[in-house]
Every structure is written in structure tokens, then in C-alpha cells.
Amino acid sequence: MTAGRARGDGLDRLAMAVLQPGFDGTEPPDWLLRALADGLGGVVLFARNVTSAAPRTADRSGDRDGTGAAGGPSPGPGPVDGAVGGAGDGTSALVAALRRERPDVVVAVDEEGGSVTRLEAATGSSWPGNLALGVADDESLTRRVGRQIGRMVAAAGVTLDYAPVVDVNADPRNPVIGVRSFGSDPEAVGRHGAAWIEGLQSAGVAACAKHFPGHGDTVTDSHLALPAVRAAREVIERRDLPPFRAAIAAGVRAVMCGHLLVPAVDALPATLSRAVLTGLLREEMGFGGLVVTDAIEMRAVAALHDPGEIAVRALAAGADAICVGVSSARGESVYALRDAITAAVREGRLKEDRLAEAAGRVRDLAAWYDARAGDRAAAAGDADEGLGLAAATAALRVTPGPTGPTGPSATGPATPAAPAEGAARATGATEEAVGPGVLTRAPLVVSMTARPSQAVGRVTPLTLGQALAEILPGTTTAEVNDEDDVPGLLATLGDTGRPLVIAVHDAVRHAWMRRLLEEALRARPDAVVVETGVPGTPAGRLYLATHGNSTASARAAARWLAGRSQ
């Protein structure tokens, strides 16, 4: 073999080492096993790869006909009382097959808890999301939830969890962060982000703080277009960067950069910006771990360059791993990325030592994981039963709302009660209430929903209506998806002989939802309103905010409304 060919083989393996592609199916395709043999450094799992476990089920006596709520099929039984469903044996077998081909492969997954879950996509997350944890404001609770998510992820054989989100949700209209953030206060986001990281990594799985340098002050979804954070540099320093500094101080092993434009730092998108990834993150903030991109097929960057060019520019800017959510059926796209990277080295557009440095950081992460087998074994025996529901209950907040548009409610706020076991009262928040029994018989639940962002993916959490049907048999649900449903909605509300619950998600972001809610409250001023997203202006005779739409949060809200203990 010639020296040039040997160098070429080495370059090919270096280029493969920095790629983290997704794939289809619940078994590794032949092309993926071949790529691992050729040096592929990572793989990312999605819901399409996961074989769900059969979790312990709750009483679904109100759902015997299998239709769940009126208007759609049931997603099936889900975890109860914080029991972890997660991935089944098929997923761990899939990962084991990958590791047989390459023992040090970095297996990644996007497992945030709350609305974004891959391992529990079939049933919805057993854990409340970040906003709920931020509202509960108990760092020990956040740390315990992080550890339990780490325990679940570790059981599937995962190396790297693309979580937590440490963006500060500065704009409530943000279409892609919202309840995925710990909140709008940088100090609180930093505290809870650090606690979540400590909990997850104590279970022997690497955490990844995202989306650097902060995706919270945007109104554009980077899956669809390039968002811009137009704040001054001093605002970014004061608001967006502190949670990432806290994550670094907590020992986070990876940081994911966001596909967003930050003109105060550079004219290039952060993923492609040396000023952001090397100047700011590495040199100013002192981060020495793995930097991974968000998925490069997202339109924020895919509209600017082809995939190979994105990978080359991201590596040159300082990224170490390239996340590729979608691969071609036979893997040609992965090899095309490899070839684009090696060509850039040969052409002098990407330094070979920069590529080698990136590949070295991927190996370092794999070595860190390998050294923590004992942590994973300890976490496997550390089930924290009931934690998910307790944490979701601790995040419930209730305020009296006006009775429709006509005036204040005569009922007043629910009587404050002790928070759930293990959770502290949140200072400066609205009153906590646990289990007052607002509903005494089966209600009609009107659910107003918009299409979820691509970050959420194909998740089917238990709905509030389904959770109430577990407790109050006969509960039915009517789905409302847009403003054209007004006539049907008003006809549905004609049944005044039963309680009405109106469930909305992120009404603050959707004018049609707010208008429909007002119409509904004109017809039924006695309705209880449950907001499962970022809270807005209280409405209805009672306004309950869950701060997330996980299965755990749905059950917590249902039990509160029905006056049931955990």
C-alpha cells in the first residue's frame, strides 16, 4: 500500500469518526454495520428505532372500548406513578448489535423528558419537562429526575443524551423552546440545568447542554428557517450565556450548538461560526468537551449549503461531531459526507489536525462512558418510584380566572396545600394546590391543540381527557384544531349538564386558540381551563397550569382536578 493510500484510509476513518447519523428501523441495517467497521464514530436514535417496553398500566376503566377519548384512537396504556416505560429489550439489543461491530461507538438520543422523548414516544414521558421542574424550583428534585432519565437511557445502552435544554425562554412566543426550558430567569435556568446534568451523569450517561449560545429569544423554529437573536452582546452575556457557564462548571460532557444567527457575535450562523464555537465557547468560556451540531438537515442551515459543506464548515468552526438525523436508505449520504470532509482536507479548506482533534474528542467521550460502567450498574438498582408524578404535581399552579369575559370568578383560588413529597414551594409563584376535587363527576374535555414542532416528533403522551377517564369513567374529549371548528365547538358545549374542562397548549402563541377559548367561555363561563404549555392570562372560573404536556403532567393534573392523592 502506498503512503498516499494509507493517509487516505486514515483520513476516511477520521472523517467517519465525527459523524452521528440516524437510520430507519429497529435493527441495524447492513450499511450501518459496514460504516461502523469503516470507522463511524456515532449513531443517533430516534423514536423510529425504539421498541417500547410494556410498562405497568393504570386503571383505564373509563376507556374500555379502546377509543380513548372521543375523536381519536387511544395511544394505549402508559406508565403510572412515575414508573419508567422506556425502551424495550429490542432497543438494547439494537445497541448491543452496534457495539459488537464497534465497541466504542457513541450512541446518542434526544431524551429530555416532558414533551421531547424518543424512548417513551409511544406512551409519553414518565417525567415532567424542564419548565415544570423550574416552577417546582427544587434542585434536589431536578437532580433526581435527571438521574432517573439517565437510568432509563443507560438501560438502553446510550452513551450521550442530547439534553438538557438550557436556553432561557426569553420570548413566550418561542415556537420550539417553550416548556423545554427551565424558565425565563437565567439564574434559575443555570441552577436547574446544572442539577439535571449532575443527576443524568451520575447514572453514567453523558449530558449535552443545548442550544449554544441560546435559542430562547427567537420566534422562528430552526427546523423551518434560520432564527436570529438580535439582542446586544451585553444582553447575551447577562441572559443567555450564564446557564451554559453553569453547565460547564457542573462538568457537562457535551454542548450542542444551535442553528441560529447571533449578529452581536458573528454574521454567520452559530453552527458555522468560529467566533461562536471556538472564540466564545472554547476560548472565552473554557469548554473542553465535545461540541456537537444540531441535525444538519434542518432548514436553518440546509437552505444555505449542501450537507457536505455544512459538515466541513462546522468542523472548521470548532464542532467535533455532526448530527445527521436522516440518512439515505443504503447509507450513501453518510459516505458522501465522509468524502466531502476528506476532500476539504486535501484542498486545504479544513486542517487535518482540526479533524483529528474533533475525532479525538469523540473518542474521549466514548472513553468517559466506558469508565463509568459502575455508575450505570449502581443507577440500575436505584429506582425512584413515584418520582415522575410527584415532580409533575409539584409544578401545578392554580389561579382564579375571570368567568369568561364578564367578570371575576366567585369561587376564588383553591386553598393552598402542601406540595408533593420531595418538592419545595416555589417562591414568587402563584398558589400551589394539590387535590381539591374540582370535578365530582365525569367531565367533557375540549382539547385545543396546534401541530407540534418537529423537535417533539411522533410522541403520543396521555392526554388530559384520557388521564381523567382513568379516574372518572365516562369522561369524553372533543378535539379542536383550528378556528374553523367554532360551530362544532359551540354545539359540543350545549351539554350544560356536565362539567367542562378546556385544555389548551401554548395559547399565548396562537391567536386562533385564544379567540376560540373566549367563545367557549362565553357559552360556558363555568369551565375550568388547563394550560399545558407556557401559561398566559388566566381564564375560566379556575386556571390550572401544568407547565408541560408529558404523561406525568396529564396524570398529575387529572388527579388534582378529581381530588385524588398520588
Side-chain angles (χ1 to χ4, degrees):
M1 182 181 294
T2 66
R5 181 65 259 172
R7 179 176 184 272
D9 289 345
L11 274 182
D12 284 350
R13 294 189 73 83
L14 285 178
M16 289 294 272
V18 301
L19 302 179
Q20 294 185 354
F23 62 96
D24 290 334
T26 56
E27 296 181 356
D30 290 343
W31 73 260
L32 183 57
L33 297 176
R34 184 175 69 253
L36 290 167
D38 288 339
L40 183 66
V43 171
V44 57
L45 302 180
F46 291 90
R48 63 183 184 261
N49 308 122
V50 172
T51 304
S52 296
R56 188 175 58 182
T57 59
D59 174 20
R60 302 181 71 85
S61 56
D63 185 17
R64 295 302 186 199
D65 63 0
T67 60
S74 168
V80 63
D81 288 359
V84 178
D89 291 342
T91 305
S92 56
L94 164 65
V95 175
L98 300 175
R99 294 200 186 281
R100 280 195 297 272
E101 192 63 53
R102 185 181 177 94
D104 63 346
V105 62
V106 171
V107 180
V109 73
D110 212 349
E111 191 64 40
E112 299 175 11
S115 60
V116 177
T117 175
R118 306 299 183 232
L119 300 184
E120 294 190 293
T123 58
S125 180
S126 304
W127 313 102
N130 288 354
L131 184 58
L133 294 172
V135 168
D137 200 19
D138 181 335
E139 291 162 51
S140 67
L141 188 68
T142 299
R143 191 174 291 106
R144 287 166 63 197
V145 169
R147 179 171 173 81
Q148 291 303 303
I149 291 176
R151 175 175 171 264
M152 176 178 70
V153 170
V158 167
T159 314
L160 172 64
D161 187 357
Y162 291 154
V165 170
V166 295
D167 303 312
V168 176
N169 198 50
D171 193 327
R173 300 170 300 164
N174 193 309
V176 71
I177 302 302
V179 294
R180 299 168 66 199
S181 167
F182 289 106
S184 58
D185 175 58
E187 188 272 338
V189 173
R191 283 190 291 107
H192 286 281
W196 202 99
I197 288 163
E198 290 165 359
L200 185 94
Q201 293 190 165
S202 75
V205 175
C208 179
K210 63 186 184 184
H211 307 81
F212 188 81
H215 206 316
D217 189 17
T218 66
V219 292
T220 302
D221 184 344
S222 51
H223 293 84
L224 307 176
L226 180 63
V229 177
R230 304 215 174 264
R233 177 65 183 258
E234 54 268 27
V235 173
I236 293 167
E237 289 280 355
R238 181 178 70 250
R239 180 192 65 195
D240 298 327
L241 296 184
F244 289 97
R245 295 186 190 279
I248 293 168
V252 72
R253 304 305 304 180
V255 169
M256 177 179 284
C257 55
H259 298 320
L260 53 122
L261 194 64
V262 188
V265 181
D266 196 2
L268 294 173
T271 303
L272 312 178
S273 169
R274 184 170 176 80
V276 171
L277 299 188
T278 299
L280 179 57
L281 181 58
R282 296 284 191 206
E283 296 172 358
E284 291 188 32
M285 298 176 66
F287 180 63
L290 184 83
V291 175
V292 60
T293 70
D294 212 338
I296 63 171
E297 69 272 13
M298 293 165 63
R299 293 299 298 167
V301 290
L304 303 177
H305 304 288
D306 64 51
E309 188 64 17
I310 295 168
V312 168
R313 294 187 181 214
L315 289 164
D320 303 306
I322 308 298
C323 174
V324 189
V326 178
S327 302
S328 59
R330 296 183 180 179
E332 304 94 336
S333 59
V334 174
Y335 284 89
L337 288 170
R338 179 201 68 180
D339 293 346
I341 293 167
T342 57
V345 173
R346 293 189 181 98
E347 294 163 4
R349 297 193 300 121
L350 175 63
K351 294 181 179 179
E352 185 172 354
D353 59 357
R354 167 78 273 271
L355 179 59
E357 178 185 53
R361 289 204 179 102
V362 174
R363 289 193 300 271
D364 289 346
L365 185 70
W368 179 91
Y369 173 84
D370 190 53
R372 278 154 182 80
D375 290 342
R376 292 189 293 278
D382 187 24
D384 204 339
E385 292 292 335
L387 177 63
L389 186 59
T393 301
L396 298 178
R397 297 292 181 270
V398 61
T399 53
T403 304
T406 58
S409 168
T411 62
T415 303
E421 181 71 23
R425 285 182 186 272
T427 57
T430 53
E431 293 180 297
E432 303 93 337
V434 180
V438 174
L439 301 176
T440 57
R441 61 189 190 279
L444 167 65
V445 179
V446 172
S447 177
M448 299 185 188
T449 59
R451 183 177 180 177
S453 78
Q454 291 181 36
V456 172
R458 298 179 296 177
V459 180
T460 54
L462 196 73
T463 66
L464 178 63
Q466 290 164 335
L468 281 167
E470 294 177 346
I471 303 170
L472 298 171
T475 296
T476 57
T477 297
E479 297 280 349
V480 180
N481 301 113
D482 59 50
E483 202 160 16
D484 293 337
D485 289 341
V486 171
L489 171 63
L490 295 180
T492 299
L493 301 182
D495 179 8
T496 57
R498 61 192 308 191
L500 176 64
V501 177
I502 303 175
V504 296
H505 185 76
D506 282 345
V508 69
R509 291 201 300 111
H510 301 289
W512 71 263
M513 199 178 291
R514 295 193 299 275
R515 286 192 292 268
L516 238 59
L517 180 59
E518 183 175 341
E519 289 283 344
L521 290 174
R522 287 183 191 279
R524 289 290 301 271
D526 60 312
V528 172
V529 176
V530 179
E531 171 61 80
T532 64
V534 175
T537 303
R541 72 178 177 93
L542 201 68
Y543 181 83
L544 177 66
T546 66
H547 303 95
N549 60 338
S550 67
T551 290
S553 293
R555 285 207 169 103
R559 294 180 184 214
W560 186 88
L561 289 168
R564 303 296 173 88
S565 66
Q566 293 188 52

